[in-house]
Amino acid sequence: MAVIEIYSKGYCPYCTRAKALLAQKSVAYQEFEIDKNPELRPEMIARSNGSTTVPQIFINDKHIGGCDELYALNYNEQLDPLLAE
């Protein structure tokens, strides 16, 4: 099973939408809420090559991007294979 990590904020609708898709897929993920743990923000920015928006999603330590990129992978039938790794 894939290791999924999401950097998020509690009031972010894109974060909610991304987490909903992962819940629909019945996959577990580890969430890092940067509004509650601001010390994680520099880590998120470094791991995502400078991206400052949330969510920032990683599957098996590979940077996927944000909500739109996650949904694009799903639409193009590329998400399930990543989740099965």
Side-chain angles (χ1 to χ4, degrees):
M1 185 58 74
V3 175
I4 303 165
E5 300 167 294
I6 301 176
Y7 291 86
S8 68
K9 290 184 179 179
Y11 53 85
C12 168
Y14 296 102
C15 300
T16 301
R17 190 166 177 242
K19 292 185 289 185
L21 177 59
L22 294 172
Q24 178 185 337
K25 299 278 185 187
S26 299
V27 294
Y29 55 86
Q30 183 173 8
E31 183 175 8
F32 301 102
E33 296 178 274
I34 65 169
D35 53 342
K36 293 181 182 174
N37 301 292
E39 69 277 6
L40 295 175
R41 184 174 175 77
E43 175 185 299
M44 176 195 81
I45 294 169
R47 287 185 72 195
S48 64
N49 298 314
S51 295
T52 58
T53 59
V54 289
Q56 290 301 318
I57 304 164
F58 297 83
I59 299 177
N60 292 329
D61 210 31
K62 177 183 176 192
H63 183 230
I64 299 303
C67 181
D68 291 343
E69 290 81 10
L70 184 69
Y71 271 81
L73 285 171
N74 189 54
Y75 179 79
N76 292 316
E77 299 180 358
Q78 296 173 329
L79 181 58
D80 288 339
L82 283 176
L83 297 176
E85 290 180 0

